[in-house]
Amino acid sequence: SYYWMGKSYVGMENYDDAIKTFSIVTTRYKDNELAPTSLMEMGLVKKKQGLISQADSILYSVYLNYPKTTLAPQSLFERAILQ
């Protein structure tokens, strides 16, 4: 699956390809159970890249788009510790 490919890219520190791959999950498969996880991963990758503003926006979108998931409160926590 695209999610696992994205995780592999993160493991190899190939962050640009990880973002592209997670983005496929979040756009083509919005209702898939891995869509919120992929969005969260995108936010965390942006954080690793030092792109704090983008990370913040993506993490907040996890909360907005998937409020009933267990990742919603976690995304708010990750936003709080971005600095």
Side-chain angles (χ1 to χ4, degrees), residues 43-44 47 52-53 55-57 59 77-83:
L44 297 176
K47 178 182 176 181
I52 302 304
S53 177
D56 182 62
S57 177
L59 291 169
F77 174 76
E78 291 293 340
R79 285 183 76 212
I81 62 169
L82 273 176
Q83 308 309 324

Side-chain angles (χ1 to χ4, degrees), residues 22-66:
F22 289 134
S23 182
I24 292 170
V25 179
T26 62
T27 56
R28 290 189 196 170
Y29 309 103
K30 292 177 187 172
D31 297 327
N32 185 284
E33 63 186 22
L34 290 175
T37 308
S38 295
L39 197 56
M40 176 75 97
E41 291 286 345
M42 288 173 63
L44 297 176
V45 167
K46 291 292 185 181
K47 178 182 176 181
K48 288 180 182 184
Q49 292 178 308
L51 301 170
I52 302 304
S53 177
Q54 290 178 29
D56 182 62
S57 177
I58 293 169
L59 291 169
Y60 190 55
S61 70
V62 174
Y63 174 76
L64 291 178
N65 293 313
Y66 303 99

